[in-house]
């Protein structure tokens, strides 16, 4: 079981990579390791089956375009006593074959069989553009 989330205000994988180092510091959530942290309001009910086995699939400009492996889901309580879920992820951004996804609020579960495949290591940016165009045409 995976998670899919809109990457609001971020237009490209490269832009998300540039934020990676800053996010933990924005939220006063330094886990003392080289990770990427995203804070969300609710803890997933299926937490046990996700930790260490799932990825968060990022939606940018109406398409799932990359994923990051989820290392763990951690409860965070702010100074006012409000609880959150910190999604502690690997820093690795793994590009996927672009897959259209309509806007939604929060995050959603994504079954493994419904997740878009990773772009192969031997593929380049041109093949990603071709895959995106084929997807828009309904051929992928």
């Amino acid at each position: 079981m995976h998670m899919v989330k809109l990457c609001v205000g971020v237009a490209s994988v490269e832009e998300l990579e540039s934020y990676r180092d800053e996010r933990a510091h924005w939220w006063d959530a330094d886990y003392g390791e080289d990770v990427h942290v995203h804070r969300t309001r609710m803890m997933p009910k299926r937490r046990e089956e996700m930790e260490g086995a799932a990825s968060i699939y990022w939606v940018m400009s109406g398409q799932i375009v990359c994923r990051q492996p989820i290392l763990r889901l951690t409860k965070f309580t702010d100074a006012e006593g409000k609880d959150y879920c910190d999604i502690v992820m690997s820093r690795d951004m793994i590009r996927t074959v672009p897959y259209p996804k309509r806007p939604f609020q929060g995050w959603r579960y994504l079954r493994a069989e419904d997740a878009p495949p990773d772009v192969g290591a031997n593929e380049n940016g041109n093949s990603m553009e071709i895959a995106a165009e084929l997807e828009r045409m309904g051929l992928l």
Side-chain angles (χ1 to χ4, degrees):
M1 186 60 56
H2 299 289
M3 181 183 286
V4 63
K5 179 126 178 66
L6 294 180
C7 203
V8 178
V10 176
S12 69
V13 176
E14 293 77 20
E15 189 176 351
L16 180 59
E17 288 174 331
S18 74
Y19 289 126
R20 188 172 43 196
D21 298 328
E22 301 171 27
R23 287 190 185 250
H25 304 293
W26 289 345
W27 294 322
D28 202 21
D30 187 1
Y31 287 94
E33 54 192 302
D34 196 17
V35 294
H36 184 191
V37 178
H38 180 77
R39 181 163 295 156
T40 189
R41 184 69 179 101
M42 303 300 293
M43 178 69 71
K45 293 185 184 339
R46 301 176 82 168
R47 173 184 181 178
E48 292 78 26
E49 63 186 286
M50 294 175 71
E51 287 185 312
S55 290
I56 185 166
Y57 283 78
W58 291 109
V59 178
M60 296 175 207
S61 302
Q63 295 185 61
I64 296 174
V65 295
C66 69
R67 68 180 180 89
Q68 285 180 275
I70 296 172
L71 303 174
R72 63 186 175 281
L73 302 164
T74 305
K75 181 180 172 184
F76 179 87
T77 305
D78 69 9
E80 298 170 359
K82 195 170 189 178
D83 290 333
Y84 295 91
C85 171
D86 279 358
I87 304 168
V88 181
M89 300 167 283
S90 166
R91 291 177 46 84
D92 299 332
M93 301 274 177
I94 302 164
R95 292 179 184 265
T96 64
V97 171
Y99 185 81
K101 189 74 175 167
R102 292 186 177 177
F104 56 91
Q105 289 187 340
W107 54 266
R108 299 287 184 265
Y109 289 115
L110 178 66
R111 297 182 317 184
E113 58 268 20
D114 295 333
D118 295 345
V119 171
N122 61 348
E123 296 188 36
N124 58 33
N126 290 336
S127 62
M128 287 185 62
E129 291 173 19
I130 292 168
E133 185 61 29
L134 290 171
E135 184 67 45
R136 279 190 285 276
M137 294 169 61
L139 300 173
L140 256 185

